Amino acid sequence: MATEEDKPRESLWERLERPSPTPRQTLSPQRIAAAAAAVADAEGLEAITMRRLASELGVAPMAPYRYVAGKDDVLELMVDHVYADLRLPDGLGWRETMRALALGTRDLVLRHLWLAQLSPQARLSLTPNRMAVAEQALSALDGLGLDADAMMSVFRAVDAYVTGALNYESAVLNLLREHGWSDGGELRSELAPQMIWHMRTGRYPTFQRYLRTATRKDDAHWQFESGLTYVLDGIAAELGI
Amino acid sequence: MATEEDKPRESLWERLERPSPTPRQTLSPQRIAAAAAAVADAEGLEAITMRRLASELGVAPMAPYRYVAGKDDVLELMVDHVYADLRLPDGLGWRETMRALALGTRDLVLRHLWLAQLSPQARLSLTPNRMAVAEQALSALDGLGLDADAMMSVFRAVDAYVTGALNYESAVLNLLREHGWSDGGELRSELAPQMIWHMRTGRYPTFQRYLRTATRKDDAHWQFESGLTYVLDGIAAELGI
DNA sequence: ATTTCGTGAGATACAACGTACACATGAGTG
DNA sequence: CACTCATGTGTACGTTGTATCTCACGAAAT
């Protein structure tokens, strides 16, 4: 059965672009976004509560609800706020543009680790600044003789790889931060007992050999670039571009 | 300053393999994992609360805490529980093994959509069944003349792509389920007003052209395979295997 | 057969969270 | 000066994760 709330509620972004009739207000979606992003940058996503956000803005806990429908809207505003910093240079070839997309996204996520902690559904929302990046990326894939489906498959493949790689990389960094550990060495020494126990079972000989002989276990940038090279090489080979 | 709780707490998995001295108990980690996974399969991850889980098991809300240190442990148990269904066939070449890893993971996640809703840090934990899959994948990359770092970079690249692609795919499906929508058409018609508004701004001409001319927008399987082909092709090209 | 003891489950309670709802307030307009 | 409506306040409710105390029961010991 259809419920009442299915009416086509005006989108968050639609409301934003129409300036409010009385502009004299202490609160605004922009201030909310900036304050929330600042808190999350400094203390992680779990520090974002509606009460904390309100106190940060110097208002009562329920005040921000004049501008957002709920906490999910706040997260959406935060995402769009930081994505304003990500733009791709024009005039590059498709491969350099995809590389800029990947490396730029990585920079952004490493500067705002909470981006990777958002629920996948929060990352689905098409905010203006994310749409702008997608448009830039797609337009760099235009004019290569690809049909629309192929163009999107390239964009999506790069985006999927970047998302997955950063999911992992930032999860490690968030773990470090939450426990107050400083570097990967400290992480490994903390996790060592568990890992040693796993290895003692003798069930994972190949994995164990990796642990013993690998030399770039901590080189996150190299790992990111390696995978990115695979993806871009494969696109070039498969599509002949 | 170092806190007391930094003592090397025995791992969840370490405790599990040592059978409890008095085996007569109504609760067990296995029962907890199975019950929780069943609830999440049927009603989504947000249905998993400690109270709900306890009532599902017919015990008091705090009873499961005998076996898990907190909700995070429950999630870890759930992950391991369903990963028991994922094993890779032996004896295949590296490419077929990586394909089996990707497609098998996709099957698993589509059967248990809540897997993609877990926090990245929950997915970091190395549960026995996930370790087993990783070991199988790595051993298929053995003997190809790759060093340990290259082997892991291949595994990680495939895993990152799969994670990212499924993050997106399952987010759409979770959105459908939560709103009670049946298929992609219904999703698009619900989101149409927002999308039309975005397009009316005229800022996204390439994106708009994609929306008009693409024919495989709903073919999730094709999209997954396309990206996977790029990744595997790139690995083959870059490493000469 | 009775006592002892430890383990597993129950009951109660608390702080923190998101948010619904009714009220106060103060600037702009007549 | 009165009216009005957008904007922020105060209070409260239901739900969550989980700390802590208490209780029951089965096995081992006497």
Side-chain angles (χ1 to χ4, degrees):
Chain A
M1 50 176 133
T3 67
E4 284 284 3
E5 63 195 25
D6 281 348
K7 78 179 70 164
R9 191 169 65 81
E10 196 182 28
S11 127
L12 174 63
W13 308 108
E14 205 162 342
R15 294 201 309 269
L16 277 202
E17 294 236 344
R18 181 177 46 235
S20 108
T22 65
R24 40 186 77 262
Q25 47 200 5
T26 75
L27 238 41
S28 72
Q30 291 80 5
R31 281 201 57 206
I32 292 173
V39 170
D41 283 347
E43 304 175 37
L45 191 61
E46 68 279 5
I48 299 291
T49 69
M50 294 306 284
R51 290 170 160 86
R52 171 67 191 277
L53 179 57
S55 103
E56 209 72 23
L57 291 161
V59 297
M62 290 298 292
Y65 281 91
R66 287 277 162 202
Y67 301 88
V68 296
K71 192 181 181 181
D72 286 351
D73 268 9
V74 173
L75 300 178
E76 209 168 322
L77 283 173
M78 292 168 65
V79 170
D80 193 61
H81 181 75
V82 298
Y83 262 87
D85 289 342
L86 179 60
R87 285 298 182 275
L88 309 181
D90 282 333
L92 299 179
W94 73 265
R95 182 161 183 145
E96 287 311 310
T97 305
M98 292 298 116
R99 248 182 78 83
L101 170 66
L103 296 178
T105 302
R106 178 165 186 262
D107 277 352
L108 191 71
V109 173
L110 293 185
R111 267 201 309 267
H112 309 288
L113 282 179
W114 47 269
L115 278 172
Q117 292 184 285
L118 294 171
S119 85
Q121 284 163 78
R123 247 174 297 177
L124 256 193
S125 73
L126 300 175
T127 81
N129 281 323
R130 295 193 60 213
M131 287 286 292
V133 175
E135 171 68 23
Q136 288 188 294
L138 284 175
S139 76
L141 292 165
D142 211 354
L144 299 169
L146 305 179
D147 63 33
D149 290 301
M151 282 173 53
M152 187 56 88
S153 83
V154 170
F155 173 66
R156 281 242 260 257
V158 173
D159 189 59
Y161 168 72
V162 170
T163 301
L166 287 172
N167 229 15
Y168 179 88
E169 188 174 347
S170 70
V172 174
L173 294 173
N174 273 315
L175 205 65
L176 289 177
R177 187 182 46 74
E178 284 173 21
H179 289 71
W181 299 333
S182 49
D183 63 338
E186 201 165 353
L187 171 70
R188 240 199 309 285
S189 69
E190 292 284 342
L191 262 47
Q194 182 169 357
M195 186 59 83
I196 287 173
W197 177 82
H198 266 130
M199 288 309 135
R200 263 197 224 288
T201 66
R203 293 173 190 153
Y204 318 111
T206 318
F207 198 95
Q208 187 162 15
R209 208 158 49 72
Y210 164 76
L211 291 179
R212 272 205 320 270
T213 66
T215 62
R216 315 190 85 156
K217 285 202 287 279
D218 284 331
D219 193 343
H221 184 72
W222 174 82
Q223 290 172 7
F224 186 83
E225 291 267 18
S226 299
L228 181 57
T229 301
Y230 300 150
V231 176
L232 297 178
D233 277 8
I235 291 167
E238 186 70 19
L239 301 178
I241 56 179
Chain B
M1 50 174 129
T3 66
E4 284 283 2
E5 61 195 30
D6 281 346
K7 78 180 70 163
R9 190 170 66 79
E10 196 181 27
S11 128
L12 174 62
W13 308 108
E14 207 162 340
R15 294 199 308 270
L16 276 203
E17 296 235 345
R18 182 178 45 235
S20 114
T22 65
R24 39 187 74 265
Q25 46 200 5
T26 76
L27 239 42
S28 73
Q30 292 79 6
R31 279 201 59 206
I32 292 173
V39 169
D41 284 346
E43 303 174 39
L45 191 61
E46 68 279 3
I48 299 290
T49 69
M50 295 306 284
R51 289 170 162 83
R52 171 66 190 278
L53 178 56
S55 103
E56 209 72 22
L57 291 162
V59 297
M62 290 299 291
Y65 281 89
R66 281 279 153 196
Y67 302 88
V68 296
K71 192 181 180 181
D72 286 352
D73 268 9
V74 173
L75 300 178
E76 209 168 321
L77 283 174
M78 291 169 65
V79 170
D80 193 62
H81 182 75
V82 299
Y83 263 87
D85 287 342
L86 180 59
R87 284 300 180 277
L88 308 181
D90 282 332
L92 300 178
W94 72 266
R95 183 160 182 145
E96 287 312 309
T97 304
M98 291 299 118
R99 249 183 77 82
L101 170 67
L103 296 178
T105 302
R106 179 165 185 261
D107 277 353
L108 191 71
V109 173
L110 293 185
R111 267 201 309 266
H112 309 287
L113 282 179
W114 47 269
L115 278 172
Q117 292 183 284
L118 294 171
S119 85
Q121 284 165 77
R123 247 175 297 178
L124 255 194
S125 72
L126 299 175
T127 80
N129 282 321
R130 295 193 59 210
M131 287 286 292
V133 174
E135 171 68 20
Q136 288 188 296
L138 285 175
S139 76
L141 293 165
D142 210 355
L144 299 169
L146 306 179
D147 64 32
D149 289 302
M151 280 172 52
M152 187 57 90
S153 83
V154 170
F155 173 66
R156 281 242 258 257
V158 173
D159 189 59
Y161 167 72
V162 170
T163 301
L166 288 172
N167 230 12
Y168 179 87
E169 189 173 345
S170 70
V172 174
L173 293 174
N174 274 314
L175 206 64
L176 289 178
R177 187 181 48 73
E178 283 173 22
H179 289 72
W181 300 333
S182 48
D183 62 337
E186 202 166 350
L187 172 71
R188 241 198 309 284
S189 68
E190 292 286 340
L191 263 50
Q194 182 169 355
M195 186 59 81
I196 288 173
W197 178 81
H198 267 128
M199 289 308 134
R200 263 198 224 288
T201 66
R203 293 171 190 155
Y204 318 112
T206 317
F207 198 96
Q208 186 162 17
R209 208 158 48 72
Y210 164 74
L211 290 178
R212 272 206 320 269
T213 66
T215 63
R216 314 190 87 157
K217 285 201 287 279
D218 286 331
D219 193 343
H221 184 71
W222 175 82
Q223 290 171 8
F224 186 83
E225 290 268 17
S226 300
L228 181 58
T229 301
Y230 299 151
V231 176
L232 297 178
D233 277 8
I235 291 166
E238 186 69 21
L239 300 178
I241 57 178

